[in-house]
């Protein structure tokens, strides 16, 4: 499978940077940002090469949903299989593109269901050189939260980069069914800021927007979909917003089953910052309703 891509630069020596959007088919701001970058970067001479893929998961995008018709999450399917189902084939093509790069940025949002506080994240790589480059890239991307999490998660685009020893970051921002121009602009400038860090373009350094830099080595720490699982099917009504400080035990929202009347308040498992909320009201048993960013310091 060939993923539609735009390659800019290549006339001067420098690193090969890969930027991808649309690993999930319902995350639209990254697609717009990457498309704009492809146009913007086609003019100036840059050091090295940037490969831009505006819609990795085109089969899912065509449906307007997170996943394609085989029901596989592309971010759980890498490195995929070139002779497998549609998502497995996309995963294989994406994995090839990642392995042919020196640096990688993967842009996401909360899609139709989730809302996220702006963050740049990376895996806590065992190789200190890779880890340091990832820390620098995530800081340079210039969102308020930088989040390093346990490197054990499999199936992600970043798992492929990890195994290949390629410094890689991802970004999360917004989501919840609307399209926000602020997210597009933050992603566009974030990618340019990383290019500046890698000496690919000359730009003035922006003032830092960093508020929290957290590294969390606990197993599964970067897994967004499993925290505060819904105890039954129903309608989730959040009482907090992303980015808000949260105290342990605070009520994050109420889950109600309108048919039975059963209702429960969802209490915060820990203190920190509201990083993710499930904002699409209808949830199933086990759906992750919220993630709190604990302000832990590295050991
Ligand atoms: Zn995503």
């Amino acid at each position: 499978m060939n993923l539609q891509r735009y390659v800019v630069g290549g006339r001067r020596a420098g690193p090969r940077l890969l930027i991808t959007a649309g690993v999930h088919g319902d995350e639209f701001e990254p697609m717009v940002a990457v498309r704009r970058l492809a146009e913007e970067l086609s003019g100036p001479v840059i050091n090295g090469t940037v490969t831009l893929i505006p819609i990795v998961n085109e089969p899912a995008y065509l449906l307007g949903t997170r996943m394609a018709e085989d029901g596989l999450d592309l971010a759980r399917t890498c490195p995929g299989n070139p002779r497998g189902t549609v998502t497995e084939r996309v995963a294989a093509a994406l994995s090839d593109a990642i392995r042919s790069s020196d640096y990688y940025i993967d842009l996401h949002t909360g899609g139709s269901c989730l809302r996220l506080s702006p963050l740049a994240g990376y895996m806590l790589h065992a190789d200190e050189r890779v880890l340091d480059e990832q820390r620098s890239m995530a800081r340079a991307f210039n969102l308020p939260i930088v989040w390093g999490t346990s490197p054990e998660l499999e199936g992600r685009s970043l798992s492929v980069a990890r195994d290949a020893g390629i410094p890689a970051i991802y970004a999360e921002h917004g989501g919840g069914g609307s399209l926000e121009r602020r997210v597009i602009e933050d992603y566009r400038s974030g990618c340019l800021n990383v290019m500046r860090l890698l000496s690919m373009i000359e730009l003035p350094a922006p003032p830092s927007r960093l508020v929290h830099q957290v590294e969390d080595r606990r197993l599964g720490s970067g897994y967004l979909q499993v925290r505060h699982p819904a105890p039954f099917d129903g309608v989730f009504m959040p009482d907090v917003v992303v980015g808000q400080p949260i105290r342990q035990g605070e009520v994050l929202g109420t889950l109600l089953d309108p048919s039975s009347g059963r209702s429960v308040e969802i209490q915060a498992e820990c203190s920190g910052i509201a990083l993710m909320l499930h904002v699409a009201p209808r949830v199933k048993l086990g759906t992750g309703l919220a993630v709190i960013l604990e302000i832990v310091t590295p050991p």
Side-chain angles (χ1 to χ4, degrees), residues 22-27 66 73 75 106-111 171-172 225:
V23 160
H24 295 121
D26 62 348
E27 302 179 1
R66 178 179 172 88
D73 187 335
D106 191 17
L107 303 174
H108 290 254
T109 75
E172 296 278 4
Q225 280 84 3

Side-chain angles (χ1 to χ4, degrees), residues 29-46:
E29 289 96 332
M31 300 177 191
V32 178
V34 168
R35 179 73 231 184
R36 290 205 175 144
L37 282 168
E39 284 155 21
E40 198 172 336
L41 292 171
S42 62
V45 176
I46 61 172

Side-chain angles (χ1 to χ4, degrees), residues 101-237:
S101 308
D102 301 313
Y103 296 92
Y104 178 40
I105 303 172
D106 191 17
L107 303 174
H108 290 254
T109 75
S112 324
C113 296
L114 310 179
R115 185 153 182 87
L116 282 130
S117 199
L119 73 97
Y122 54 90
M123 287 183 172
L124 292 164
H125 204 282
D127 182 328
E128 276 295 326
R129 182 196 67 83
V130 174
L131 179 54
D132 274 344
E133 294 214 77
Q134 294 183 152
R135 285 181 179 130
S136 302
M137 290 166 71
R139 291 179 67 99
F141 200 88
N142 209 18
L143 294 176
I145 295 169
V146 163
W147 196 31
T149 52
S150 82
E152 290 84 4
L153 295 179
E154 298 297 341
R156 272 75 169 170
S157 58
L158 260 62
S159 318
V160 176
R162 173 202 64 204
D163 293 347
I166 293 163
I169 61 168
Y170 70 99
E172 296 278 4
H173 198 337
S178 62
L179 186 134
E180 288 171 87
R181 290 177 185 275
R182 183 174 59 102
V183 178
I184 298 169
E185 177 47 34
D186 283 351
Y187 276 2
R188 182 195 147 271
S189 58
C191 292
L192 294 174
N193 290 336
V194 172
M195 289 179 65
R196 186 185 64 81
L197 173 79
L198 300 175
S199 303
M200 300 179 78
I201 46 170
E202 281 187 27
L203 274 181
S208 175
R209 297 169 62 194
L210 184 64
V211 181
H212 301 289
Q213 181 164 11
V214 174
E215 293 200 338
D216 186 346
R217 292 187 180 272
R218 290 172 298 180
L219 204 66
S221 52
Y223 194 178
L224 288 172
Q225 280 84 3
V226 295
R227 310 283 166 203
H228 300 93
F232 49 85
D233 285 20
V235 174
F236 181 54
M237 299 173 279

